[in-house]
Amino acid sequence: MTFRQKHLLGIEPLAPDEITTLLDLADHYVSLNRGEHKHSDVLTGRTQINMFFENSTRTQASFEIAGKRLGADVMSMAMQASSIKKGETLIDTALTLNAMHPDLLVVRHPHSGAVNLLAEKVNCAVLNAGDGRHEHPTQALLDALTIRRAKGRLHRLTIAICGDIAHSRVARSNLMLLGKMENRIRLIGPPTLMPARIAEFGVEVYDDMREGLQDADVVMMLRLQRERMDGGFIPSEREYYHRYGLDEEKLSFAKPDAIVMHPGPMNRGVEIDGTLADDINRSVIQEQVEMGVAVRMAAMDLLARNHGGAS
Ligand code: NCD
């Protein structure tokens, strides 16, 4: 097994062989999860604490199920009700929890870099469940596993990432992962939602869907991250859907067997046509959710091994 990390803070520090190790182990957990007895004991006796400072449905549920299936004692903190509301800092909260000897801390935070800072202050493994616009490593890994299973490989594919690139940690982590695995990456979206100087990162940039989707193997749609916008980035949702929303007609420019992805939560009729999102012949959105549990099990399993019982 090649996985040298003590934390999973982002895709940036991962080498391609570590990504492959994690995805191979996740494949094993997909089989376990599809069986009747979904239990393993690799985290028995370990304590996992989930701290979500931002709303989450699938990521939080998925980390919780993943930990339980591996036999860990799992606690999800209700951050709205915690002492953070009384003014306690993130670091004080982390130190308080650290004193209770957790083995795994899963953290989502609205500020980019907050999870890395926290990881410096605690003794256990820290998993980033999304920090601001920075990284969302388990999302990129679950996307990679979904692509690898659907396409039979994770290299030399043409992958279009579409929509609100500028505010998206999902796009950032995916860009790094898919780049490390030597894929051709196209970013499609309005110039107002495209990070400055992004073309320097070896990606192709388009503001026209039909041009950008040409011959794509994978079409990854992103949510409009309104909570991270502080002005008029798009004229109107109607106009946005017209130009950038994925429907059958725009998808017809991609390869006939192209898969459609979305990390959720989706705005139907804004980023994607609802019928297309539900079309099991094209859309792998539900598979992404399924892969999310397996990838999180693999990540926590590998990190727990690297912490070798010390907590
Ligand atoms: C993403 C996130 O939180 O960054 N969602 C998720 O984890 N499934 C994407 C989003 O919120 O649009």
Side-chain angles (χ1 to χ4, degrees), residues 266-280:
M266 272 186 282
N267 295 307
R268 290 168 186 263
V270 180
E271 300 114 30
I272 188 163
D273 169 63
T275 313
L276 181 56
D278 296 333
D279 179 354
I280 55 167

Side-chain angles (χ1 to χ4, degrees), residues 54 58-59 108 136 139 169-170 223 225 227-228 263-265:
E54 232 186 39
R58 66 216 88 222
T59 306
R108 170 171 283 195
H136 192 351
Q139 179 69 43
R169 55 196 176 206
V170 176
R223 185 175 63 88
Q225 313 259 308
E227 71 278 22
R228 295 187 220 290

